[in-house]
Amino acid sequence: MKTILIDDEPDALSTLQSFLNSYCPQIDIIGHAGGVQSALHLIHQQQPELLFLDIQLEDGTGFDLLKLLGPDAPQQVIFMTAFDEFAIKAFQYNAIDYLLKPINPDEVIRVVQKAIKQQQLHQSKQQTDHLLENIQKKKFDKITLTSQEGLIVLKLADIQYLKSEGSYSTIYYGVGEKVTITKLLKEFEDLLPNTQFFRPHQSYMINLDYIHKVLKEEGGMILLSSGAKVPVSRRKKEQLIEWLNRN
């Protein structure tokens, strides 16, 4: 894959190039840049298939660069960041790979292998588009998930509840729709906004907007507007009642 590295830190750039040369023979580094304008010129000139793109650049951000490129942006983008909480959450919401600095060679190998696979499946451009949408709106109202069938984009408002299936989670949404994802329920609990989603039981998580009734049966059940029933533990029931009273 023809690849351009974009980072304004010479040491970080040198480390990344060394890892790619040593461990990723599939990568052909055709140039590097340290800023938005220099990268813009280089990308138009070289037409790379893959970008390693740092968030903070000398004259703007990696997101600024992607906006300027528009439809000319490469199909595959791997982001890099020292630590930007909002950006990391945006990557997670859009199922986009990123490298956290200082860069680990094992992580470089992993993201390169995934980028090659996505290139073969013609995936990821849609994810980047949704990412820029999130960045522009400064909020997350959609989530991109990777299932066995491929990528699925869901509005948070359409998700009714999630159920733990061991190391998987099944998401129930729309009218009788569901999808199973290779992600623990705890990961969704950390990711989804706690103002909208609540975990009433170790095996379930619900969208609070879908609560219809809180029932006394079987020790405590939540009846959702879709007709589904979800158990609620005694401890979590008190928290739920407090939330309902406040809202």
Side-chain angles (χ1 to χ4, degrees):
M1 296 179 73
K2 294 194 299 179
T3 302
I4 287 177
L5 315 181
I6 304 170
D7 195 326
D8 63 347
E9 299 177 36
D11 289 345
L13 200 61
S14 175
T15 298
L16 175 61
Q17 184 162 338
S18 175
F19 287 159
L20 291 171
N21 288 338
S22 299
Y23 305 116
C24 303
Q26 316 94 320
I27 297 300
D28 176 20
I29 300 172
I30 57 174
H32 53 79
V36 172
Q37 292 303 319
S38 57
L40 191 64
H41 175 74
L42 185 62
I43 290 166
H44 283 142
Q45 185 181 60
Q46 298 292 339
Q47 298 293 305
E49 299 165 282
L50 170 66
L51 292 185
F52 278 85
L53 179 59
D54 192 30
I55 298 300
Q56 298 299 328
L57 301 173
E58 59 191 22
D59 57 352
T61 70
F63 303 131
D64 295 333
L65 173 62
L66 291 178
K67 288 176 189 174
L68 289 171
L69 285 168
D72 295 330
Q75 182 75 12
Q76 305 295 323
V77 180
I78 296 171
F79 292 91
M80 300 179 290
T81 182
F83 188 79
D84 183 321
E85 190 173 351
F86 180 78
I88 289 172
K89 183 156 278 194
F91 301 149
Q92 292 170 338
Y93 264 85
N94 293 281
I96 288 177
D97 267 320
Y98 63 94
L99 292 172
L100 198 58
K101 294 180 176 180
I103 293 170
N104 180 302
D106 291 335
E107 282 296 292
V108 172
I109 295 167
R110 182 187 65 79
V111 296
V112 166
Q113 289 175 342
K114 188 169 180 180
I116 291 168
K117 184 178 179 181
Q118 286 185 322
Q119 184 192 42
Q120 293 167 346
L121 296 174
H122 304 290
Q123 291 180 351
S124 93
K125 187 66 172 72
Q126 182 188 31
Q127 292 160 271
T128 305
D129 292 342
H130 287 150
L131 170 70
L132 292 178
E133 186 181 323
N134 288 154
I135 297 296
Q136 187 170 0
K137 292 193 296 187
K138 294 288 185 183
K139 69 175 185 176
F140 307 105
D141 53 13
K142 294 179 184 176
I143 187 167
T144 301
L145 303 164
T146 305
S147 69
Q148 289 184 334
E149 292 77 30
L151 293 176
I152 178 170
V153 180
L154 295 178
K155 291 181 179 179
L156 298 190
D158 290 340
I159 298 174
Q160 297 168 19
Y161 70 101
L162 303 87
K163 182 180 179 182
S164 173
E165 310 277 1
S167 57
Y168 298 83
S169 296
T170 299
I171 301 175
Y172 294 80
Y173 66 97
V175 183
E177 298 284 341
K178 65 179 181 178
V179 61
T180 299
I181 306 297
T182 312
K183 193 185 286 284
L184 295 171
L185 195 61
K186 178 67 171 68
E187 295 178 74
F188 282 110
E189 185 179 19
D190 293 338
L191 184 60
L192 295 173
N194 59 15
T195 53
Q196 187 176 358
F197 289 87
F198 179 75
R199 191 170 180 179
H201 186 275
Q202 62 180 4
S203 297
Y204 290 88
M205 192 170 177
I206 62 169
N207 186 333
L208 291 161
D209 291 337
Y210 284 88
I211 293 178
H212 181 54
K213 291 180 180 179
V214 180
L215 307 173
K216 295 180 180 179
E217 64 184 63
E218 300 176 29
M221 299 288 289
I222 299 168
L223 177 65
L224 302 180
S225 54
S226 63
K229 287 184 179 180
V230 173
V232 55
S233 69
R234 184 175 300 172
R235 181 174 60 87
K236 290 299 185 88
K237 187 175 181 180
E238 293 176 3
Q239 294 179 24
L240 180 61
I241 296 299
E242 285 179 14
W243 183 90
L244 290 170
N245 287 333
R246 286 199 310 270
N247 293 277

